Amino acid sequence: MSETTPPAEQDRAALRMRMAEHLDAALACLDDIPDPVEREFAARLLADDLLPNAVKRVKVVRTGAAVELRGRGLKLREIAELYSLTTGRVDQIAKGK
C-alpha cells in the first residue's frame, strides 16, 4: 500500500509553492540588475522596506484569523489544535504579538 497525502496538506504544499515562486520572482529581479550599485540599492529596498512591511501584513492576517475563530466561539485550546501550535502561542497571535 502506498501512502497518500491528505488534500489539505496538498493544498498547503501548492500554496507554499505559489508563494515561494512570487518570492523567487522578487529575488530574480535583483539578478537582472546589471549595475552593482543599483543592485545593492534594490536588495536593500527589498530587505529593509518590502520584507519588513510584508511581515507586518502577515502578522495582521494571522491576528485577524485567530480573532475570527475566537469570534466563532472557539477556545484558544481549540484554535491551537487546528493551528498545531501551543495555546500560549495562539494567545500571542490573537493579541498581535
Side-chain angles (χ1 to χ4, degrees):
M1 275 193 321
S2 66
E3 293 185 38
T4 59
T5 306
E9 197 172 317
Q10 290 174 355
D11 291 345
R12 289 180 186 144
L15 177 62
R16 184 191 187 290
M17 185 179 300
R18 197 170 108 222
M19 288 192 291
E21 287 171 355
H22 285 284
L23 288 172
D24 287 343
L27 293 169
C29 288
L30 299 176
D31 296 334
D32 292 340
I33 301 171
D35 182 89
V37 174
E38 290 302 315
R39 190 168 53 246
E40 190 287 327
F41 178 79
R44 187 171 4 134
L45 175 67
L46 180 62
D48 296 347
D49 183 28
L50 299 174
L51 290 176
N53 285 334
V55 169
K56 289 176 187 172
R57 289 177 59 191
V58 166
K59 184 183 249 187
V60 169
V61 169
R62 293 181 79 190
T63 298
V67 168
E68 180 179 337
L69 291 173
R70 292 283 286 156
R72 292 181 186 179
L74 275 73
K75 298 183 184 321
L76 289 175
R77 176 184 43 77
E78 295 168 319
I79 299 169
E81 289 176 18
L82 291 171
Y83 284 4
S84 298
L85 295 172
T86 65
T87 302
R89 183 63 188 124
V90 171
D91 187 42
Q92 290 175 331
I93 291 169
K95 292 176 180 173
K97 297 182 180 178

PDB file of all heavy atoms in Angstrom, residues 5 18 20 42 61 67 70 85 89 93 95:
ATOM      1  N   THR A   5      -1.072  11.715   0.300  1.00  0.00           N
ATOM      2  CA  THR A   5      -1.057  12.968   1.036  1.00  0.00           C
ATOM      3  C   THR A   5      -2.482  13.482   1.142  1.00  0.00           C
ATOM      4  O   THR A   5      -3.191  13.542   0.135  1.00  0.00           O
ATOM      5  CB  THR A   5      -0.181  13.994   0.295  1.00  0.00           C
ATOM      6  OG1 THR A   5       1.099  13.423   0.063  1.00  0.00           O
ATOM      7  CG2 THR A   5      -0.034  15.268   1.088  1.00  0.00           C
ATOM      8  N   ARG A  18       3.357  28.331  -4.570  1.00  0.00           N
ATOM      9  CA  ARG A  18       2.939  29.557  -5.248  1.00  0.00           C
ATOM     10  C   ARG A  18       3.562  30.790  -4.602  1.00  0.00           C
ATOM     11  O   ARG A  18       4.086  31.675  -5.288  1.00  0.00           O
ATOM     12  CB  ARG A  18       1.411  29.658  -5.236  1.00  0.00           C
ATOM     13  CG  ARG A  18       0.881  30.642  -6.253  1.00  0.00           C
ATOM     14  CD  ARG A  18      -0.620  30.547  -6.384  1.00  0.00           C
ATOM     15  NE  ARG A  18      -1.164  31.739  -5.767  1.00  0.00           N
ATOM     16  CZ  ARG A  18      -2.219  31.788  -4.985  1.00  0.00           C
ATOM     17  NH1 ARG A  18      -2.877  30.698  -4.693  1.00  0.00           N
ATOM     18  NH2 ARG A  18      -2.640  32.910  -4.491  1.00  0.00           N
ATOM     19  N   ALA A  20       6.297  30.834  -2.752  1.00  0.00           N
ATOM     20  CA  ALA A  20       7.744  30.755  -2.966  1.00  0.00           C
ATOM     21  C   ALA A  20       8.105  31.250  -4.361  1.00  0.00           C
ATOM     22  O   ALA A  20       9.134  31.924  -4.542  1.00  0.00           O
ATOM     23  CB  ALA A  20       8.237  29.328  -2.748  1.00  0.00           C
ATOM     24  N   ALA A  42      18.542  48.001  -4.711  1.00  0.00           N
ATOM     25  CA  ALA A  42      17.318  47.194  -4.823  1.00  0.00           C
ATOM     26  C   ALA A  42      17.275  46.116  -3.742  1.00  0.00           C
ATOM     27  O   ALA A  42      16.215  45.846  -3.165  1.00  0.00           O
ATOM     28  CB  ALA A  42      17.228  46.563  -6.208  1.00  0.00           C
ATOM     29  N   VAL A  61      -2.752  39.537   9.274  1.00  0.00           N
ATOM     30  CA  VAL A  61      -3.571  38.434   8.752  1.00  0.00           C
ATOM     31  C   VAL A  61      -3.705  37.338   9.808  1.00  0.00           C
ATOM     32  O   VAL A  61      -4.804  36.828  10.057  1.00  0.00           O
ATOM     33  CB  VAL A  61      -2.977  37.862   7.446  1.00  0.00           C
ATOM     34  CG1 VAL A  61      -3.653  36.571   7.044  1.00  0.00           C
ATOM     35  CG2 VAL A  61      -3.082  38.889   6.327  1.00  0.00           C
ATOM     36  N   VAL A  67      -8.596  35.971  15.707  1.00  0.00           N
ATOM     37  CA  VAL A  67      -9.724  36.728  16.271  1.00  0.00           C
ATOM     38  C   VAL A  67     -11.033  36.264  15.640  1.00  0.00           C
ATOM     39  O   VAL A  67     -12.056  36.129  16.330  1.00  0.00           O
ATOM     40  CB  VAL A  67      -9.500  38.245  16.083  1.00  0.00           C
ATOM     41  CG1 VAL A  67     -10.757  39.034  16.390  1.00  0.00           C
ATOM     42  CG2 VAL A  67      -8.331  38.719  16.947  1.00  0.00           C
ATOM     43  N   ARG A  70     -11.958  33.061  17.265  1.00  0.00           N
ATOM     44  CA  ARG A  70     -12.450  33.342  18.625  1.00  0.00           C
ATOM     45  C   ARG A  70     -13.871  33.877  18.555  1.00  0.00           C
ATOM     46  O   ARG A  70     -14.711  33.520  19.381  1.00  0.00           O
ATOM     47  CB  ARG A  70     -11.542  34.351  19.328  1.00  0.00           C
ATOM     48  CG  ARG A  70     -10.161  33.851  19.657  1.00  0.00           C
ATOM     49  CD  ARG A  70     -10.113  32.950  20.848  1.00  0.00           C
ATOM     50  NE  ARG A  70     -10.277  33.744  22.055  1.00  0.00           N
ATOM     51  CZ  ARG A  70     -10.727  33.264  23.183  1.00  0.00           C
ATOM     52  NH1 ARG A  70     -11.027  31.991  23.294  1.00  0.00           N
ATOM     53  NH2 ARG A  70     -10.866  34.026  24.243  1.00  0.00           N
ATOM     54  N   LEU A  85      -0.224  24.586  17.153  1.00  0.00           N
ATOM     55  CA  LEU A  85       0.607  25.465  17.963  1.00  0.00           C
ATOM     56  C   LEU A  85       0.197  25.322  19.423  1.00  0.00           C
ATOM     57  O   LEU A  85      -0.837  24.725  19.721  1.00  0.00           O
ATOM     58  CB  LEU A  85       0.419  26.930  17.544  1.00  0.00           C
ATOM     59  CG  LEU A  85       0.865  27.314  16.137  1.00  0.00           C
ATOM     60  CD1 LEU A  85       0.433  28.744  15.815  1.00  0.00           C
ATOM     61  CD2 LEU A  85       2.370  27.173  15.998  1.00  0.00           C
ATOM     62  N   ARG A  89       1.013  30.337  22.318  1.00  0.00           N
ATOM     63  CA  ARG A  89       1.383  30.992  21.055  1.00  0.00           C
ATOM     64  C   ARG A  89       0.153  31.532  20.348  1.00  0.00           C
ATOM     65  O   ARG A  89       0.173  32.635  19.788  1.00  0.00           O
ATOM     66  CB  ARG A  89       2.147  30.017  20.142  1.00  0.00           C
ATOM     67  CG  ARG A  89       2.607  30.647  18.868  1.00  0.00           C
ATOM     68  CD  ARG A  89       3.609  31.798  19.119  1.00  0.00           C
ATOM     69  NE  ARG A  89       3.902  32.507  17.894  1.00  0.00           N
ATOM     70  CZ  ARG A  89       3.737  33.815  17.721  1.00  0.00           C
ATOM     71  NH1 ARG A  89       3.337  34.570  18.718  1.00  0.00           N
ATOM     72  NH2 ARG A  89       4.023  34.377  16.568  1.00  0.00           N
ATOM     73  N   ILE A  93      -0.624  35.356  19.200  1.00  0.00           N
ATOM     74  CA  ILE A  93      -1.028  35.719  17.838  1.00  0.00           C
ATOM     75  C   ILE A  93      -2.327  36.520  17.872  1.00  0.00           C
ATOM     76  O   ILE A  93      -2.456  37.540  17.197  1.00  0.00           O
ATOM     77  CB  ILE A  93      -1.170  34.456  16.958  1.00  0.00           C
ATOM     78  CG1 ILE A  93       0.194  33.833  16.691  1.00  0.00           C
ATOM     79  CG2 ILE A  93      -1.886  34.785  15.641  1.00  0.00           C
ATOM     80  CD1 ILE A  93       0.142  32.461  16.065  1.00  0.00           C
ATOM     81  N   LYS A  95      -3.360  38.395  20.121  1.00  0.00           N
ATOM     82  CA  LYS A  95      -3.057  39.719  20.677  1.00  0.00           C
ATOM     83  C   LYS A  95      -2.146  40.530  19.774  1.00  0.00           C
ATOM     84  O   LYS A  95      -1.732  41.637  20.131  1.00  0.00           O
ATOM     85  CB  LYS A  95      -2.439  39.573  22.062  1.00  0.00           C
ATOM     86  CG  LYS A  95      -3.415  39.033  23.098  1.00  0.00           C
ATOM     87  CD  LYS A  95      -2.723  38.818  24.429  1.00  0.00           C
ATOM     88  CE  LYS A  95      -3.694  38.271  25.462  1.00  0.00           C
ATOM     89  NZ  LYS A  95      -2.992  37.898  26.707  1.00  0.00           N
TER      90      LYS A  95
END
